[in-house]
Amino acid sequence: MLGRVDPQGSLLETRLMRRHLVTKGSVYERLADHGDEIVSDDDFAHLYADRRGRPSVPPSVMVRALLLATHDATSDRETSRRTRVDADWKAAMGVDDDFGGIGATTFSLFRARLVVDDADQALFVKTLEAAIDAKVLRGKRRAIIDSSPVRGAGAVSDTYELLRGFLAQAIRAGGEAFSAPTREVASPHIGEKPDIDWGDPKARASYLGDLVGAIKAVLAEARSIDDEAVGEAASHLAQVVDQDLEEGEDGEAGIRRGVGKDRIVSSSDPEMRHGHKSSNRRFDGHKMDLVTDEETELVLGIAIRAGNAPDGEGAVPLLEAVQGTEGVEVGALLGDMAYSEGDVRVAVEEEGTTLLAKVPPVSNSGRFPKTDFFIDTEAGEVTCPQGEVTTDARPERDHKGRPGLRFVFPAQVCGTCPVRADCVGGKAGRSVFVGVHEDRIAAARAAQADPEVKALLRKRAKVERKIDHLQDLGMRKARFRGRRRTRLQALLAATVANFSRLAVLGAFDQAPAPVMAA
């Protein structure tokens, strides 16, 4: 049940009683004056039971407190303290001067409600609706897309700790549903790290054998236990066994060399993944996808995906979400080379949007690259730099399994070519692979030489400023475990960023005149 709040406000509100103390031009003052334009109790009333329970802190006050906590990067305990003693915060929350504050545990409960009902997405969309109402966003927009790493909140563990961690989770969840012998064999592997000589390969191998034996016993019984928590822990346990262990020639389990695909890296946050922002920049956690409006620099959409997910794969789902907001239409999308792949271009075009992204350069170990050849897909022929033509096309699939054709030049033609050393090595003739998106990629490569397109692609750098802003609002590292709650964190950060930007863009009406209370 919601606490009763006067929609007209109270003369005892801090924003009126102590307006002279509120920091001028700050986010606190803006929330005090215009917070009700993006946050209202009615928007969140469905999160509460109707006419049941004791009066609660109004959801509009809770949401404003969460936005302030995002802006000031405060813990729940510090957030609770500031809601009780900080005049800036009280003014921004729209509460009376004698407001007693919000309990620290109330915030985790309210965040859970926001996540269950996707109310955090609705809150973020309210900032876009405010921009549309103020005619800041009108017509087809030119947007920019990029991604950024978000370090996970869980601890990264080695194989032994992953196995022990998920084994412990399964046993604790199942309790006495597991047989006494299984609990007994698993017991030595739960709790403190075993006291063995970890520098001795034989000692490690012996311990791993005991650990795998306990895991097999737990997994065998877990199949018959009807408990979601047990099933989840057992599933993660089985995945770690599959990704990190292999059977040796002696039949004993050993640690697999290399990193398995989609490898779990943390038992405390199984959704964390090894990711690479560049070839020499690795991170452990999640990936934040971001679409911003090029002109206004408002965040139009934000998403959290697996840390090891390719950038391009996130373009269409996020674009669909952006264009699902009534009044927002993206006519052109600017991206870096990570979004230049043919499948991404096709999918974006099917959304009615033009993708502008620089095509990666083509190299051939110092020899003539593919781009030096004239490829005529309609005629089914390829012409080399010396004018020789081949129609010898052989079916072949690319690295993604898509069908294509490999055009091969005769060995005798290449053998007598005066520039053979600059084109191909070995005795065979030169060959050129032609993929399903050949014409589309060639057209994009030609277009990027256009001065107008070059100028547009340079504007892509604007998204870096927005990423920096979101990182300042906490998006360098996840505060919570799991992608969904990290998405909540990202949506709150984007809401704060947009709210601040709307004020700069003049989207809000003039601040109300101060009223002095008796």
Side-chain angles (χ1 to χ4, degrees), residues 146-147 287-291 301-305 311 314 318 339:
D146 204 353
S147 70
K287 180 171 289 186
M288 177 179 71
D289 293 325
L290 179 73
V291 170
I302 197 163
I304 298 294
R305 294 186 297 131
D311 285 4
L318 187 52
Y339 300 91

Side-chain angles (χ1 to χ4, degrees), residues 169-483:
Q169 289 178 24
I171 290 294
R172 287 168 185 152
E176 294 187 359
F178 285 103
S179 65
T182 295
R183 296 199 306 273
E184 184 176 349
V185 75
S187 179
H189 309 291
I190 297 174
E192 295 293 327
K193 189 174 182 178
D195 185 18
I196 67 170
D197 183 1
W198 290 98
D200 182 358
K202 291 184 178 179
R204 293 199 308 271
S206 176
Y207 175 74
L208 183 61
D210 294 340
L211 179 57
V212 170
I215 289 170
K216 287 180 177 179
V218 168
L219 291 178
E221 288 193 18
R223 299 188 189 99
S224 60
I225 299 176
D226 185 16
D227 184 281
E228 184 177 350
V230 172
E232 184 177 7
S235 175
H236 290 144
L237 186 56
Q239 186 175 340
V240 174
V241 169
D242 182 62
Q243 71 186 18
D244 282 14
L245 301 183
E246 61 184 357
E247 191 173 292
E249 295 179 358
D250 56 0
E252 297 296 323
I255 304 295
R256 188 188 304 273
R257 291 188 177 183
V259 178
K261 185 179 180 180
D262 202 37
R263 182 177 184 269
I264 293 176
V265 299
S266 172
S267 59
S268 54
D269 186 354
E271 293 185 314
M272 287 172 53
R273 292 293 183 270
H274 287 314
H276 287 85
K277 185 58 180 172
S278 63
S279 58
N280 57 0
R281 183 183 171 194
R282 201 194 84 171
F283 66 94
D284 297 305
H286 317 288
K287 180 171 289 186
M288 177 179 71
D289 293 325
L290 179 73
V291 170
T292 65
D293 182 58
E294 184 269 319
E295 180 185 358
T296 64
E297 299 188 33
L298 288 169
V299 178
L300 300 180
I302 197 163
I304 298 294
R305 294 186 297 131
N308 60 348
D311 285 4
E313 290 182 2
V316 172
L318 187 52
L319 180 61
E320 288 176 343
V322 169
Q323 306 216 109
T325 302
E326 187 175 353
V328 178
E329 184 179 4
V330 179
L333 186 65
L334 311 180
D336 60 17
M337 287 190 291
Y339 300 91
S340 186
E341 208 270 336
D343 285 348
V344 177
R345 290 181 178 275
V346 171
V348 169
E349 289 171 9
E350 289 176 349
E351 291 295 314
T353 302
T354 300
L355 177 64
L356 297 175
K358 192 173 181 181
V359 178
V362 177
S363 62
N364 186 30
S365 302
R367 296 190 173 98
F368 294 144
K370 175 181 176 178
T371 48
D372 283 357
F373 291 71
F374 177 71
I375 300 171
D376 189 336
T377 57
E378 187 173 341
E381 61 183 34
V382 174
T383 304
C384 80
Q386 290 296 103
E388 296 292 340
V389 179
T390 183
T391 58
D392 182 5
R394 306 172 187 181
E396 186 176 310
R397 293 186 177 274
D398 66 11
H399 67 288
K400 287 192 172 183
R402 297 168 300 195
L405 294 172
R406 181 166 292 281
F407 285 81
V408 181
F409 288 87
Q412 59 271 28
V413 172
C414 292
T416 59
C417 180
V419 294
R420 174 185 174 83
D422 295 324
C423 186
V424 64
K427 297 180 179 181
R430 175 66 186 265
S431 66
V432 175
F433 180 79
V434 177
V436 292
H437 301 301
E438 197 67 42
D439 290 341
R440 180 174 277 103
I441 296 299
R445 182 178 285 112
Q448 70 191 27
D450 186 309
E452 188 175 334
V453 174
K454 281 185 176 180
L456 287 175
L457 289 175
R458 282 196 292 270
K459 292 183 177 182
R460 199 198 64 79
K462 286 185 176 183
V463 75
E464 300 294 341
R465 288 202 298 267
K466 190 56 60 177
I467 288 175
D468 285 344
H469 188 189
L470 293 174
Q471 288 179 339
D472 289 342
L473 292 171
M475 291 312 300
R476 281 187 175 84
K477 186 179 189 304
R479 288 188 61 184
F480 316 109
R481 295 171 183 171
R483 284 179 210 147

Side-chain angles (χ1 to χ4, degrees), residues 68-85:
L68 292 169
T70 299
H71 181 270
D72 289 2
T74 54
S75 65
D76 284 354
R77 178 171 294 186
E78 175 61 13
T79 299
S80 174
R81 189 188 73 83
R82 294 199 188 185
T83 62
R84 187 177 71 254
V85 304

Side-chain angles (χ1 to χ4, degrees), residues 496-516:
V496 172
N498 276 2
F499 183 79
S500 299
R501 188 64 188 162
L502 284 171
V504 173
L505 294 168
F508 298 128
D509 293 331
Q510 188 176 356
V515 177
M516 295 302 293

